Amino acid sequence: MKILCVVGARPNFVKIAPILRAIDAVNACRRGAGSMLESVLVHTEQHYDDAMSAAFFTDLRIPRPKWTLGVGSGSHATQTAEVMRRFEPVVIEERPHVVLVVGDVNSTVACALTAAKLGTRVAHVEAGLRSFDRTMPEELNRLVTDALSDFLFTSEDSANENLRREGQPAEKVFFVGNVMIDSLLSCRQLARRSTIRERVGLTRQRNGDDYVLVTMHRPSNVDVESKLEPILRALAEMSWELPVIFPAHPRTRTRIAEFGLERYVDPNGTNGSPAIIRPGRISLLEPIGYLDFLQLMADARLVLTDSGGIQEETTCLGVPCLTLRENTERPVTLTAGTNTLVGTDAGRILECARKAIGNGRCVASLPPMWDGHAAERIVQILAEHLPE
Ligand code: UD1
């Protein structure tokens, strides 16, 4: 059975790693007894920088992709169309039994659509999540991908409910757990060896190693000056109390420069050189690798983010998380986790951050099936349902 596995952007790498490992594990058990599973990895290269892509392959020990499509950046239509154009001949040549896509990025929907049009079955990992906000590009990607998929692998109960409401037959929906948490649990030990705090100059600062960690890259937050400015103002204000460390996505860094908002940041601290950590300024870093980021997250007093996956990772780590959005497609992180939606109002962000810092660490409680074995369940289900 041949499984064509697709990755394109940073969060995809974290999700595919445990699935590839689970396929290898099944093969190791079957050696000499039973047919083997074949995984073929395709990287669309929607993300292409070393820091956004190659570093994750190294940290997560993902094998070199058999196919790299060189798609790169572009408008939504261009990027999606370009992935489809370049992915189609791969599916035709490889003739897989199933195309497996993860998450909700443009590469996810483009490859799902390409495969479905060629009559190839599609498996979607992280199916059914809904923010109910169609202005988010990811929400459209999720809706279309799920509509096209034959296997809908879900990570939380809200997703099962959403798919049921949308009329998906129960036989297609498999509640398997969270592959991002598989990666986190399997890398937690290794990440503890990271020297990232020393490298960014954190331990030499006041307050020992207490700090606030920030990530932000959603177009709705960073592409509009009237949104980005108050958020940065609130973060700079917060840095009078605790260092604010912000490994910035290239999009965010570009916008800060474009809108002339450098007064809020110290634009230094690449992976190799320590950041300047000054009260009143946000310490901007280059994007950092998976293991370093995991360790920074685990040790943070508070995380502020607009990412989807980080809401889940902080829940698992028991670190308080404030999400800079009005909604989340991952409601279990609010009900069972450490996440709070705070929106983008500067006053509210500061108020909630001060409160969360005052409250200290949360007790980590893992949502159902976030046990580190989601990928094994996915591979098992595919092996049972697809022809040998
Ligand atoms: C994409 C996903 C988003 C995900 C995020 C994780 C879509 C619609 N969005 O957003 O869901 O949360 O990845 O990071 O698929 N760039 C670089 N180097 C890179 C990649 C991007 O400099 O390796 C810059 C380019 O200027 C590019 C911009 O970042 O135009 C945006 O990249 P893009 O892939 O369009 O979307 P993301 O914002 O990264």
Side-chain angles (χ1 to χ4, degrees):
M1 182 181 78
K2 190 190 276 195
I3 308 172
L4 202 61
C5 298
V6 176
V7 290
R10 188 166 57 174
N12 295 167
F13 310 135
V14 185
K15 293 166 194 170
I16 211 71
I19 296 172
L20 296 175
R21 266 202 309 280
I23 293 173
D24 287 347
V26 167
N27 285 336
C29 286
R30 286 185 175 181
R31 196 149 289 139
S35 60
M36 305 296 262
L37 308 178
E38 183 185 353
S39 65
V40 173
L41 184 61
V42 181
H43 184 1
T44 67
E45 298 181 304
Q46 174 176 341
H47 284 175
Y48 44 88
D49 283 353
D50 277 358
M52 300 289 286
S53 175
F56 283 72
F57 277 73
T58 310
D59 276 3
L60 291 156
R61 288 173 286 124
I62 303 172
R64 192 187 292 273
K66 179 171 175 187
W67 298 86
T68 47
L69 305 186
V71 169
S73 303
S75 71
H76 283 273
T78 307
Q79 194 174 55
T80 308
E82 208 49 47
V83 173
M84 290 185 69
R85 201 174 68 77
R86 296 178 191 213
F87 186 58
E88 186 178 52
V90 176
V91 182
I92 291 170
E93 184 171 333
E94 291 285 353
R95 298 163 51 86
H97 293 97
V98 65
V99 167
L100 182 143
V101 295
V102 296
D104 54 15
V105 304
N106 285 345
S107 300
T108 309
V109 68
C111 293
L113 184 51
T114 308
K117 279 176 179 281
L118 289 170
T120 304
R121 277 186 273 203
V122 177
H124 184 205
V125 175
E126 212 180 63
L129 297 179
R130 298 288 180 267
S131 65
F132 303 100
D133 172 3
R134 290 202 183 193
T135 65
M136 270 183 95
E138 293 81 4
E139 182 74 353
L140 302 177
N141 294 346
R142 290 189 280 261
L143 282 161
V144 175
T145 305
D146 286 342
L148 297 169
S149 293
D150 303 278
F151 297 89
L152 296 156
F153 293 116
T154 60
S155 54
E156 61 167 86
D157 207 37
S158 74
N160 301 328
E161 184 52 27
N162 293 333
L163 292 170
R164 194 194 58 73
R165 218 180 19 246
E166 287 170 17
Q168 290 286 359
E171 311 82 73
K172 280 169 61 175
V173 180
F174 302 90
F175 183 24
V176 290
N178 191 325
V179 284
M180 198 164 233
I181 300 305
D182 289 6
S183 271
L184 187 153
L185 295 175
S186 74
C187 291
R188 186 71 196 91
Q189 212 42 42
L190 202 57
R192 285 201 173 92
R193 293 193 214 147
S194 160
T195 56
I196 185 70
R197 279 180 307 166
E198 289 77 3
R199 281 167 23 234
V200 301
L202 267 170
T203 50
R204 282 178 275 122
Q205 302 307 311
R206 72 213 158 98
N207 296 321
D209 49 15
D210 254 356
Y211 57 90
V212 172
L213 178 65
V214 177
T215 79
M216 186 170 51
H217 68 280
R218 297 259 162 239
S220 57
N221 280 343
V222 306
D223 283 359
V224 184
E225 188 182 347
S226 60
K227 275 286 185 79
L228 184 58
E229 191 275 336
I231 299 175
L232 292 180
R233 187 164 16 99
L235 296 174
E237 181 68 29
M238 203 181 302
S239 71
W240 288 102
E241 292 158 47
L242 283 179
V244 174
I245 307 297
F246 184 176
H249 187 288
R251 172 198 286 278
T252 312
R253 195 175 274 270
T254 307
R255 295 293 178 262
I256 290 173
E258 224 171 83
F259 299 146
L261 299 173
E262 291 95 341
R263 62 187 176 280
Y264 295 121
V265 301
D266 271 324
N268 48 33
T270 56
N271 233 340
S273 68
I276 298 171
I277 298 177
R278 290 196 276 179
R281 293 287 183 105
I282 304 160
S283 299
L284 218 57
L285 309 182
E286 298 293 335
I288 55 179
Y290 180 69
L291 295 170
D292 284 340
F293 189 75
L294 181 50
Q295 192 52 31
L296 264 190
M297 219 171 8
D299 282 349
R301 182 76 87 85
L302 172 67
V303 173
L304 289 105
T305 190
D306 61 10
S307 147
I310 291 171
Q311 298 170 48
E312 301 181 329
E313 291 168 333
T314 46
T315 278
C316 180
L317 293 166
V319 175
C321 175
L322 301 183
T323 295
L324 304 164
R325 288 172 48 190
E326 306 295 341
N327 54 52
T328 178
E329 59 288 335
R330 294 162 159 91
V332 77
T333 61
L334 302 173
T335 52
T338 62
N339 189 22
T340 310
L341 292 178
V342 295
T344 55
D345 175 75
R348 181 158 160 75
I349 293 172
L350 265 176
E351 183 194 322
C352 294
R354 288 194 175 117
K355 199 165 136 204
I357 289 168
N359 287 346
R361 277 187 93 82
C362 307
V363 179
S365 77
L366 285 178
M369 307 282 262
W370 290 22
D371 59 358
H373 299 288
E376 291 158 35
R377 290 189 274 269
I378 289 168
V379 173
Q380 196 59 46
I381 290 163
L382 289 176
E384 281 164 15
H385 285 75
L386 290 168
E388 298 205 337

